[in-house]
Amino acid sequence: MTLPNWLKAAALCGFDVTPLFAQAGIDIDLIHLESATVRPSQIIQVMTAAVALAKRGHFPFALGETFAFEYMPDIEVFVTTSPTLRQALPVFDLVRAFINPMLAVDLREDGAVARLILRSDHPTEATPYFAESLFAAILKFARRLLDQQHPFHRLCLTYPAPAHAAKYRAFFKLPVAFEQRENAIEFDRDLLDRPLRGGVPVLHRQAEYRIERRMAHRPRYSGVTAAVEATLRAKPALLGGGLAATAQAMAWPSRSLQRRLAEEGENFAALQARVRQQLAMAYLDDDRGDIEALSDYLGFSDRRSFTRAFVRWTGQTPRAFRAKGRTER
């Protein structure tokens, strides 16, 4: 729960957001705020109410514009010291892992054009508001990294033009097309590999290392998601099976478990991959473990399948990850 971000955005829009949290049943624990979590249904309720209450401006735009990595300075350093824009893009995976599992952003390169595409696994009526805040945050960081006021060409959105459509052009200062096939923002592909003036490779690598270690030991989820994660950790043999095997181990009907996970903004495949990644990284931190045995332990069919998955998660092989840990410890 990135509370300071919501408080700042609400203040800019002329209202107090804290009563909305109480109405949604969100208990703000100020002592442990950096690890506080909320259900997707709760944050959707707060977002919808905040949009209606805003007296100045449009709340999702303010939310994106004021976004900062309040509790995760390593991620802020990772982004702002990236040597190129391409090397900064893994930040979207980090946002999905640490902040909002509903936000998934893909990069697509097509000729001279590149697109950042927002995927929504569980679309709702509030999805446009989250798209607006995400693209507002992308615009903010892109301007900061690229030293350009207008780095993008066009914003494409899947939903019909809303009542406040006129505010888009004034805020984003680029053409906006509604009722498109995907939510995406377009820019010149060559920007991806152009050296960034603020790039500091040594700091970027150090931040990456700290994030990788935090990924392996990050706080558990709550509710049904936490119960499934705990089951997979306690019985790693289930990692090689599907949802049905885990549901049976938990004495749950498969469909009920799938539905409850979806209500929490989660799906079994992503959860299974996350547990595998966390266990793998913790295991590789120990120099004594055998990598071949690890692939079997995590339920992979063979060593190559495990290596491909690990490269997809971290951008490096298990052996390279372990060697990097030795040199940077």
Side-chain angles (χ1 to χ4, degrees), residues 113-133:
V113 177
R115 295 175 180 86
L116 291 175
I117 301 164
L118 169 63
R119 288 187 290 108
S120 182
D121 296 333
H122 307 287
T124 71
E125 290 184 4
T127 296
Y129 300 143
F130 290 99
E132 290 168 348
S133 62

Side-chain angles (χ1 to χ4, degrees), residues 165-319:
K167 297 179 180 178
Y168 276 76
R169 187 63 185 263
F171 180 82
F172 288 103
K173 296 181 173 57
L174 73 161
V176 180
F178 295 96
E179 298 185 274
Q180 301 298 299
R181 289 189 306 169
E182 56 196 11
N183 294 311
I185 195 163
E186 300 178 351
F187 57 100
D188 288 335
R189 184 182 181 186
D190 65 3
L191 288 179
L192 286 169
D193 300 301
R194 184 181 300 175
L196 298 176
R197 192 166 64 180
V200 185
V202 124
L203 292 178
H204 181 75
R205 287 194 299 271
Q206 287 175 352
E208 181 182 33
Y209 173 77
R210 289 192 294 267
I211 291 167
E212 287 169 349
R213 267 51 196 176
R214 180 171 179 176
M215 184 81 77
H217 304 289
R218 62 184 162 174
R220 304 282 183 87
Y221 287 76
S222 59
V224 175
T225 300
V228 174
E229 182 177 311
T231 300
L232 293 174
R233 286 176 174 274
K235 302 177 179 179
L238 293 171
L239 289 167
L243 182 142
T246 301
Q248 184 177 12
M250 297 176 66
W252 274 65
S254 295
R255 288 187 178 180
S256 297
L257 183 58
Q258 188 173 32
R259 186 183 67 253
R260 290 290 299 276
L261 286 172
E263 288 172 357
E264 295 184 5
E266 186 62 87
N267 66 75
F268 182 78
L271 196 158
Q272 179 188 47
R274 184 168 65 241
V275 172
R276 276 176 157 170
Q277 180 182 356
Q278 292 171 351
L279 291 177
M281 292 170 73
Y283 184 98
L284 291 168
D285 268 340
D286 184 343
D287 285 343
R288 296 169 296 179
D290 177 69
I291 296 177
E292 192 77 44
L294 176 58
S295 64
D296 293 337
Y297 177 71
L298 296 177
F300 286 94
S301 57
D302 54 45
R303 166 76 177 274
R304 283 180 296 179
S305 298
F306 166 57
T307 299
R308 283 196 298 270
F310 197 85
V311 169
R312 188 168 64 249
W313 297 331
T314 67
Q316 54 195 312
T317 66
R319 195 174 299 281

